[in-house]
Amino acid sequence: MKYFRQHIRTATVALTLFFYFTSNPVTAQEEAKAGTSAQELADKMANPVASLISVPLQNNLTYGIGPYNGSKYQINIQPVVPFKLSENLNLITRYILPVVDQQDVTGENTHEFGLSDATVTAFFAPKTKGIILGAGPAFLVPTATEKLLGTQKFGIGPSVLVMHQGKGLSIGFLANQIWSVAGNADRADFNQFYTQIFLTHSYKSGASLGITSEITQNWQGNTTLITVSPNVGAITKLGGQTMQFAVMPLIPIVGHSDIRPDWGLRAVMAFVFPQ
């Protein structure tokens, strides 16, 4: 119950911040910098290979996990840093560093807290009109501070992004396939496919509505997890800092009973640095 109350308080704070800032439309209009409107920033945040520095903090709460009815709070620190290679080619680097606090997931009356494995993706993104493309390597880095929170494997594989974006509408998918190539020989190999399919509509105020589906296929364990998440977001300003807030349920559609949660909630707070 202690962990349940802590996680509920975290979710309540995130939701309170979200509804407070999205209820102030003036700040969403005032965030424009150097001619960039709130809607343009919302569109860029929906584009995984936009030339825009951002630092999203993705908070995930899931309950009813596996045979022991476990719970997990995971915050993904996800900086995005672009590099201009030429007039027609950008390199977009995306980092995901998970911090996990889980109870009764690996067994009854168990508790793990610490870093999980990091994922680093580099998209080479040519400047194109109409269809936006990105491709490059994805890396699994064994940064876990507890054995049960990571794979103890180093992995690599391809990543790809295909999307179309018009003013106010973004639709597409990104995917990666990672295989382990080194690490602890006593641990199981890592062989996993991940894809995210997304549709987002933005408005002049910087608000956005969308839906996302995430599919994780663990080939080694022969398990599939599919979630669907309708979402609402907003661009606003906190002091002098441009921010994006978003909130969404995590609705499990497909998943083995050992890994599928009963329900979940995601709240995202992103620091945005317009260029």
Side-chain angles (χ1 to χ4, degrees), residues 63 225-229 249-255 260-264:
Y63 289 93
L225 181 63
I226 302 176
T227 60
V228 173
S229 302
L250 299 174
I251 305 171
I253 303 299
V254 174
R260 176 180 173 174
D262 290 338
W263 61 277

Side-chain angles (χ1 to χ4, degrees), residues 50-182:
S51 184
L52 179 73
I53 298 174
S54 63
V55 184
L57 303 178
Q58 185 192 88
N59 299 269
N60 300 276
L61 286 167
T62 47
Y63 289 93
I65 305 169
Y68 305 103
N69 199 34
S71 63
K72 178 190 289 189
Y73 170 63
Q74 178 170 316
I75 178 170
N76 293 329
I77 305 167
Q78 303 182 147
V80 179
V81 183
F83 297 92
K84 184 177 181 180
L85 301 181
S86 70
E87 289 298 322
N88 297 311
L89 183 65
N90 291 325
L91 173 64
I92 313 298
T93 59
R94 299 169 59 88
Y95 310 84
I96 301 176
L97 182 62
V99 182
V100 178
D101 183 9
Q102 63 184 26
Q103 176 82 9
D104 298 328
V105 172
T106 58
E108 191 173 7
N109 298 322
T110 59
H111 175 228
E112 292 84 31
F113 172 77
L115 295 177
S116 185
D117 291 343
T119 304
V120 180
T121 309
F123 287 104
F124 292 92
K127 292 184 179 181
T128 58
K129 293 182 179 180
I131 301 297
I132 298 172
L133 302 172
F139 302 93
L140 176 72
V141 185
T143 54
T145 55
E146 283 202 23
K147 181 175 69 173
L148 295 177
L149 294 179
T151 63
Q152 297 185 337
K153 295 285 188 178
F154 180 83
I156 189 171
S159 62
V160 64
L161 165 80
V162 179
M163 69 175 293
H164 173 75
Q165 188 167 63
K167 186 175 182 180
L169 181 65
S170 305
I171 182 171
F173 75 92
L174 60 85
N176 65 54
Q177 165 66 47
I178 299 179
W179 299 272
S180 58
V181 294

Side-chain angles (χ1 to χ4, degrees), residues 27-38 40-41 235 237 242 274:
T27 58
Q29 296 289 351
E30 291 176 345
E31 58 73 40
K33 182 181 287 189
T36 302
S37 70
E40 288 172 330
L41 280 178
I235 294 287
K237 205 168 187 179
T242 303

